[in-house]
Amino acid sequence: MSRSWKTTTFASLAVAGAMVMSGTAHGGESAAGSAGSAGSAGGGPRPVGRDLWASATIEPGREGVVQVGGYDGAALKEGSTLTLTAPAQTRVTGVPFAAGAYRASVALGGGSGTYTFVGATASAGEPVPGAATEPDAAVGEAWKGRTFPFVLSVRPDAEPGTRLPDCTLVLRDAKGTVRERGTCTVTVGLPAPTLSRPHSGVPLSASPRASGTAYPGAQVTVRDAAEKEVCATTAAPDGTWSCVPGLALKAGPGRLQATATLNGVSATSEQINITVAGSAAAQPDTVSDSGGDPL
């Protein structure tokens, strides 16, 4: 096989499930945000805040959605903008919410994405587009209580577990004055491992070999339905792995699932149903490879 498992797996992009909006606003101000007020205390724009936030985990070579929200300041008028600057090893590939009162755009090369408030189009009593939690929100509250999706693509060679730097958020009013800043946390996820052996529905011995694929170098642990560890190993450079139970499995029906862990992130395979016919001594493994060795 001329191409490695890693190369084959990461060859195509697909939208990945992202862990969106962690539920905790960032507590520290950015360097720009701590520089001082955006206006005077006499009725001008309030100081640059720290309310904008977003969090996502996206696998290498895939796309994921980062939902930006958290603004709770004063209403901003038409022409105000929300911009996400893409973190290192990523690019913005889409700003999918572009309807009604908002216009969306992606910078050349995908370095950033922007939503612009162009004016409410909903009639009285109708929900304003983007108002996910406040359908009766005032039309003038263009950004408050809403979230805005940005699609990011992570490079295929990004290392799982890495927190990508330089993801920034800026909300400006119609005059271009910064009204809110924030940072978004984008972590490189770990591709899910596969558990290809043993085969589901085939009677097994009490010590069947488990095997599959995982991200190279990941620690792979196989567990049963009770979350008890069955066996563990490390994925080889080509992404393959295999291990044999240290203790005999209990006879009868059961389930197995593989979990891969690397650099603090983890992913799980699909569960497979198994049937153990007897103890390892009394029942030979009925599943074997082309050379006759048990699997």
Side-chain angles (χ1 to χ4, degrees):
M1 192 171 167
S2 59
R3 302 178 67 193
S4 70
W5 171 86
K6 180 180 178 181
T7 302
T8 302
T9 301
F10 297 158
S12 61
L13 291 176
V15 175
M19 295 194 305
V20 177
M21 300 191 66
S22 63
T24 304
H26 292 279
E29 291 188 340
S30 64
S34 60
S37 172
S40 67
R46 72 191 186 98
V48 173
R50 56 191 183 189
D51 293 331
L52 292 176
W53 57 276
S55 177
T57 298
I58 308 172
E59 296 175 15
R62 290 181 176 267
E63 293 179 322
V65 178
V66 178
Q67 295 274 10
V68 177
Y71 180 68
D72 196 29
L76 301 181
K77 297 180 180 180
E78 291 89 339
S80 55
T81 60
L82 172 64
T83 299
L84 179 148
T85 300
Q89 301 186 65
T90 74
R91 61 189 179 93
V92 180
T93 57
V95 274
F97 174 62
Y102 300 89
R103 182 178 69 248
S105 61
V106 176
L108 183 65
S112 65
T114 299
Y115 286 101
T116 301
F117 180 54
V118 294
T121 59
S123 60
E126 293 182 354
V128 177
T133 58
E134 300 181 39
D136 297 322
V139 169
E141 295 180 343
W143 309 102
K144 185 176 181 180
R146 294 163 174 79
T147 60
F148 296 84
F150 294 81
V151 181
L152 294 182
S153 173
V154 175
R155 283 173 38 176
D157 59 352
E159 181 74 10
T162 304
R163 179 171 290 186
L164 302 179
D166 304 325
C167 184
T168 61
L169 308 168
V170 179
L171 182 63
R172 293 181 170 87
D173 63 21
K175 296 180 180 180
T177 302
V178 175
R179 300 300 298 269
E180 207 79 70
R181 291 186 187 272
T183 58
C184 53
T185 301
V186 178
T187 303
V188 182
L190 185 66
T194 65
L195 178 57
S196 55
R197 299 285 181 92
H199 293 297
S200 181
V202 178
L204 307 170
S205 74
S207 297
R209 180 179 296 274
S211 63
T213 59
Y215 192 91
Q219 177 72 20
V220 180
T221 303
V222 179
R223 292 183 172 86
D224 61 18
E227 295 295 323
K228 182 179 178 181
E229 181 177 316
V230 173
C231 63
T233 188
T234 300
D238 66 352
T240 60
W241 64 268
S242 66
C243 59
V244 177
L247 298 175
L249 300 181
K250 183 179 179 180
R255 291 195 307 271
L256 295 178
Q257 186 173 40
T259 299
T261 304
L262 182 70
N263 297 335
V265 291
S266 61
T268 58
S269 71
E270 294 184 358
Q271 292 184 347
I272 62 171
N273 295 314
I274 62 169
T275 300
V276 176
S279 67
Q283 176 66 41
D285 195 338
T286 59
V287 183
S288 59
D289 61 19
S290 57
D293 296 325
L295 297 177

